[in-house]
Amino acid sequence: MDQPQPMPSRVHVTEVGLRDGLQNEARHLSTEDKVALVRALVAAGVREFELTSFVSPRAVPALADAAELVAALEDVQGVHWSALVPNVRGAERALAAGVDSVVLFVSASQTHNARNVNRDIAASLAGFTEIARLLDGSGVELRGAIATAFGCPFEGDVDVAAVGDIARAFVDLGARRVSLGDTTGMATPPLVTERIRHLREVAPSLSPTLHFHNTRGIGLANVMQGLSLGIARYESSIGGLGGCPFAPGATGNIASEDLVYLLTEMGIDTGIDLPALIEASGLASRLMGRALPAQVSRAGPRLSLSDGDAVATARG
């Protein structure tokens, strides 16, 4: 049994709404609108973004402006930009654009990996070797991401050993960080514990990041479990935008403002200003032309008070 981990005093929040959020939306934002949203998030204190993905524009047209988006934000200082890449061509484009890190992603489920990138897991991992060589000496960090790490919508349960095998492969590629993706909201607190304990056994040099979806309403319960295990890195999406276009029923990520609210109320520092983050979520909602699923943006922080005189009084 591993030793109890102290609750982190500071948590790093990576905003994935511009990538994982927008890739599944019917409305495609212009580069100008994306830049406005990013700047609002930076003003709120967000300092790490998974900004886009250098995938085929035909596969994910919402992210066709990846290079243009990075270029439009080159004046922003003190922020880490990462981008998802599926292959060598994507990595070359990401390097040319000037991102700080590239994220190599593979599913722990063979079926989902085939749906997602049209190859099996072994072929995906083999292809990453050339990307690692390309990045070597470039100053751009290599990170890993494991999709369907807690379950697959096509295969059901995913063996924890499969997750561990992929994690070790990422270590061999030189990665220091890996994200465990809850692609369709199948994570539960016991599964979070099982996965983290296994990773600490088989790939102790990796720093895990947890990426939860709120498909079944327990995204923040899974965050609480991660915190109890000492995990200090989480990915979230402004307003709860998101899902996976290659997985049926995948709804949005946990909302950034809901996550920051939880952490703030627990006395855990994020460096993010919650009222400003709520304002950024309002901008996201206006840009998307619809209400977003985040709850804190609707209700406000816990001590957002109402004017008693503005509320109708019951009459007996």
Side-chain angles (χ1 to χ4, degrees):
M1 181 68 69
D2 55 348
Q3 294 297 313
Q5 299 290 319
M7 189 80 74
S9 60
R10 181 177 175 85
V11 158
H12 300 272
V13 177
T14 298
E15 174 59 50
V16 301
L18 276 294
R19 197 280 302 170
D20 197 14
L22 296 184
Q23 73 172 5
N24 203 38
E25 291 289 331
R27 175 175 288 195
H28 295 173
L29 296 188
S30 67
T31 304
E32 182 182 12
D33 285 343
K34 292 178 185 179
V35 168
L37 180 55
V38 170
R39 292 187 186 279
L41 289 162
V42 171
V46 178
R47 291 295 176 264
E48 187 150 339
F49 289 79
E50 189 174 276
L51 188 63
T52 188
S53 180
F54 287 85
V55 294
S56 165
R58 292 187 303 276
V60 188
L63 306 181
D65 63 344
E68 292 80 4
L69 179 58
V70 177
L73 294 164
E74 63 181 358
D75 63 304
V76 180
Q77 302 298 311
V79 175
H80 186 103
W81 310 117
S82 67
L84 217 62
V85 301
N87 50 37
V88 172
R89 175 58 184 146
E92 290 172 343
R93 292 173 57 210
L95 276 176
V99 300
D100 299 305
S101 64
V102 300
V103 181
L104 308 182
F105 62 96
V106 64
S107 300
S109 146
Q110 291 285 7
T111 306
H112 186 266
N113 207 64
R115 296 285 192 278
N116 204 8
V117 293
N118 198 30
R119 65 186 68 172
D120 64 22
I121 293 171
S124 285
L125 294 174
F128 293 163
T129 302
E130 187 176 353
I131 297 176
R133 286 197 295 265
L134 178 68
L135 296 178
D136 189 32
S138 69
V140 175
E141 181 185 359
L142 183 157
R143 297 182 178 181
I146 306 175
T148 62
F150 301 93
C152 171
F154 308 109
E155 298 180 10
D157 283 331
V158 168
D159 190 349
V160 68
V163 177
D165 290 344
I166 295 171
R168 282 196 298 265
F170 277 128
V171 172
D172 293 341
L173 290 166
R176 295 181 295 110
R177 292 182 184 160
V178 66
S179 172
L180 299 185
D182 180 25
T183 308
T184 57
M186 295 175 73
T188 64
L191 287 174
V192 173
T193 299
E194 179 192 49
R195 265 57 176 165
I196 292 301
R197 286 178 175 170
H198 186 67
L199 251 62
R200 285 174 171 161
E201 290 175 4
V202 303
S205 65
L206 278 180
S207 174
T209 299
L210 292 174
H211 175 122
F212 295 121
H213 286 223
N214 204 39
T215 311
R216 292 171 176 83
I218 61 169
L220 292 183
N222 291 324
V223 170
M224 289 294 295
Q225 190 67 13
L227 292 170
S228 76
L229 296 163
I231 303 302
R233 288 188 167 274
Y234 297 86
E235 295 177 347
S236 60
S237 175
I238 190 67
L241 283 166
C244 176
F246 310 106
T251 56
N253 300 264
I254 56 171
S256 298
E257 57 267 46
D258 294 355
L259 173 63
V260 171
Y261 170 72
L262 171 68
L263 297 170
T264 300
E265 288 295 318
M266 294 178 67
I268 297 173
D269 181 32
T270 63
I272 298 173
D273 180 71
L274 181 59
L277 191 64
I278 291 172
E279 288 185 15
S281 182
L283 173 60
S285 178
R286 292 191 297 275
L287 291 173
M288 300 313 301
R290 64 180 178 87
L292 300 180
Q295 295 177 292
V296 170
S297 293
R298 292 196 298 272
R302 182 174 62 89
L303 294 179
S304 294
L305 305 181
S306 299
D307 180 0
D309 293 334
V311 179
T313 303
R315 298 180 184 275

